[in-house]
Amino acid sequence: MVGMSPLVMGVLNVTPDSFSDGGRWASAAEAVAHGLVLIEEGADVIDVGGESTRPGAEPVDPIEERRRILPVIEALAPYVRVSVDTRDAETAEAAIGAGASLVNDVSACLWPVAAAAGVGWVAVHTQGDPATMQLAPHYDDVVAEVEAFLVAKAEEALAGGVDEVWIDPGIGFGKTASHNLALLARLDRLVATGHPVCVGTSRKAFLGRLAARSDQWATRPSLPGLDVATPLDDVVPVPTDDRIEGSLATATWALLHGAAMVRVHDLRSTVHAVTLVGAR
């Protein structure tokens, strides 16, 4: 996997409550139609999820999760590589049966399913679970701890028979803005492990906070109540649709520093960025 051209994974949430696009593709027909648009825009992989993993999200019954995603995966799999974004083993198995060939695993424990089916697996680092992960994330050394966790998971999966193992630092999953920025700054540490690295920063809250802070600096003192001394995690983020510049900047940064895949909402602009990175 190392040395290949960078890939772009398109996000397709068949959910009512995902942080950016929840409810937009809630029916199978809407989701399939959007998936076909993502293919047209250049997606190498489409990541289909039926359970939101945004901060504060409540678990979804796996039966409902499968009802949401299986028709979508079955419809798209003949045309593009499909990943299933799930924490549930039975859902992963059903998705593979419908045509998915990659398991994007925020729980980082589903590698036995991938091994048994002969498909790829993405180990995502998370501290806690979606309902609680952003309440008080803490690390003594976030870069070292995330690296150690992911290397251990990757080695376990490879030893267990998974041939294609990816690692993902889990930007925004149980991490403060400072943690996220530290992981991006030292992405070379993960790349140096030799495992292909997937990075997902797209439209996440820390980018919204950085954008709000940037607006604050550019316009002060015309925005009363906004204090440049406010800790970044206490800054009210701009809306998700205003986070595209940060999404593109961090995706490009990740690719320039060795990431093999970026997971994004904004396909066309990211594919253009990937093309430019490859032309350097």
Side-chain angles (χ1 to χ4, degrees):
M1 302 297 296
V2 176
M4 66 186 177
S5 298
L7 304 178
V8 180
M9 172 188 279
V11 178
L12 182 53
N13 291 315
V14 195
T15 60
D17 58 344
S18 290
F19 80 95
S20 180
D21 56 356
R24 294 187 68 184
W25 329 114
S27 74
E30 291 169 323
V32 170
H34 184 58
L36 294 174
V37 170
L38 296 180
I39 294 170
E40 287 279 329
E41 292 181 341
D44 298 294
V45 183
I46 294 180
D47 192 38
V48 180
E51 177 187 56
S52 174
T53 51
R54 63 173 174 78
E58 294 296 327
V60 171
D61 186 300
I63 294 174
E64 171 62 15
E65 182 185 18
R66 294 193 286 274
R67 185 196 67 79
R68 293 174 179 177
I69 65 172
L70 294 182
V72 179
I73 293 172
E74 191 171 52
L76 295 178
Y79 307 105
V80 69
R81 187 176 195 190
V82 175
S83 168
V84 58
D85 182 357
T86 187
R87 299 180 295 155
D88 181 75
E90 289 187 19
T91 298
E93 291 169 352
I96 293 165
S101 61
L102 187 65
V103 178
N104 187 19
D105 180 12
V106 174
S107 75
C109 67
L110 298 182
W111 66 260
V113 176
V119 301
W121 179 65
V122 185
V124 183
H125 178 276
T126 307
Q127 188 178 85
D129 58 41
T132 62
M133 64 188 180
Q134 290 303 111
L135 295 181
H138 172 77
Y139 303 85
D140 293 323
D141 183 334
V142 66
V143 176
E145 291 172 45
V146 169
E147 178 188 4
F149 174 88
L150 291 174
V151 167
K153 289 291 184 179
E155 291 178 351
E156 182 182 34
L158 288 166
V162 183
D163 293 328
E164 179 191 354
V165 175
W166 295 75
I167 58 174
D168 182 329
I171 299 296
F173 288 106
K175 298 169 183 77
T176 65
S178 295
H179 294 148
N180 295 329
L181 293 170
L183 287 164
L184 288 171
R186 295 308 315 274
L187 196 61
D188 60 305
R189 289 269 298 266
L190 292 183
V191 172
T193 67
H195 303 295
V197 176
C198 177
V199 175
T201 60
S202 182
R203 300 190 183 186
K204 290 192 174 176
F206 83 106
L207 296 178
R209 300 184 200 284
L210 286 168
R213 172 63 56 81
S214 177
D215 291 343
Q216 178 182 354
W217 282 341
T219 60
R220 70 179 191 272
S222 62
L223 296 177
L226 290 177
D227 182 353
V228 294
T230 301
L232 188 55
D233 283 293
D234 293 333
V235 173
V236 177
V238 300
T240 54
D241 287 346
D242 288 342
R243 303 175 191 176
I244 295 174
E245 294 91 343
S247 300
L248 282 173
T250 50
T252 302
W253 169 273
L255 293 170
L256 287 170
H257 289 80
M261 180 159 60
V262 288
R263 181 180 184 273
V264 303
H265 297 83
D266 304 291
L267 251 293
R268 188 182 299 279
S269 52
T270 306
V271 168
H272 290 168
V274 169
T275 301
L276 290 171
V277 169
R280 73 187 190 278

